[in-house]
Amino acid sequence: MPVALTAGILSMTAVVVASNILVQFLVGNWLTWGAFVYPVAFLVTDVINRAYGPTMARRVIAAGFMVGVFCSAVGSQIDLGYGPLVTLRIAIGSGTAFLCAQLLDIAVFNRFRSGRWWRAPLVSSLVGSLVDTAIFFTIAFSASLAFLEPSNVPAWAGEGVSLLGIGPQLPLWVSLAAADFLVKLSFAGVMLLPFRLISARLVIVGEH
């Protein structure tokens, strides 16, 4: 296996595990630390896809998912006093959102692969980010899915607040999801530069 693929798998694993933990800690009123970590997953997928193709990208996703599930299972057994390091709902939401969003990212990327270099990673990251945010926050925090983990209901996430402080009264997790998606939108643009530099380097190395 090429060193770049190994690095991709390790990077993806680190992103998934870190996101599972950091999404539980708020930054200000509307964001979690996980919002600043998870977008890197799309960069990893797109770089591998561009340099090695969709089959290799799916392998990176599969490996990252399996290790992420294992680490989440371990984290669920670590008691911090107020609850587990990784709750069951967060683990389920993270895994489901990860697979759906990343596989969709690959499909959209391939649809725009032959266009201008920035179009495929930008569009695929935007679409994948929307799906990821919707699935993760709904499974992890929506009161309608409390049956998934009745013993650990995140009451704070269901507290009614104005959407991002200016909109209608909605559960807090909806504002967290909206803010999370806005951050991912920004990262989709910011990540274009490292995507261009890294993928170009990998393609050059692969040709020699």
Side-chain angles (χ1 to χ4, degrees):
M1 179 182 293
V3 174
L5 288 179
T6 301
I9 291 173
L10 293 176
S11 299
M12 188 67 79
T13 300
V15 168
V16 171
V17 174
S19 297
N20 284 354
I21 296 173
L22 296 177
V23 74
Q24 302 175 83
F25 301 97
L26 290 173
V27 181
N29 295 324
W30 315 118
L31 286 171
T32 70
W33 283 110
F36 300 96
V37 176
Y38 187 78
V40 178
F42 293 104
L43 172 63
V44 174
T45 298
D46 291 346
V47 164
I48 297 298
N49 195 356
R50 172 66 78 184
Y52 297 103
T55 299
M56 289 298 185
R58 292 188 189 98
R59 290 181 182 177
V60 169
I61 290 172
F65 172 76
M66 289 186 291
V67 177
V69 168
F70 172 77
C71 292
S72 292
V74 173
S76 68
Q77 301 304 309
I78 300 176
D79 190 354
L80 298 179
Y82 56 83
L85 179 63
V86 179
T87 68
L88 176 62
R89 288 183 64 180
I90 285 178
I92 294 174
S94 175
T96 304
F98 176 81
L99 278 182
C100 292
Q102 294 299 321
L103 291 176
L104 181 59
D105 178 275
I106 291 176
V108 175
F109 188 101
N110 290 335
R111 172 66 178 79
F112 293 95
R113 178 184 290 273
S114 60
R116 295 188 177 183
W117 71 267
W118 52 267
R119 187 172 299 169
L122 181 61
V123 176
S124 62
S125 293
L126 291 177
V127 174
S129 293
L130 177 61
V131 170
D132 178 82
T133 297
I135 292 177
F136 171 75
F137 280 90
T138 299
I139 293 177
F141 300 121
S142 174
S144 63
L145 297 179
F147 65 87
L148 291 174
E149 194 177 12
S151 63
N152 191 12
V153 178
W156 60 268
E159 179 184 352
V161 298
S162 296
L163 180 63
L164 296 178
I166 57 176
Q169 196 86 353
L170 293 170
L172 173 59
W173 71 265
V174 178
S175 286
L176 297 180
D180 180 86
F181 181 60
L182 291 176
V183 170
K184 288 174 180 173
L185 285 180
S186 301
F187 268 82
V190 171
M191 291 295 179
L192 288 177
L193 179 58
F195 167 82
R196 178 68 164 174
L197 296 175
I198 298 172
S199 59
R201 176 62 179 170
L202 291 180
V203 170
I204 292 173
V205 170
E207 291 175 347
H208 289 79

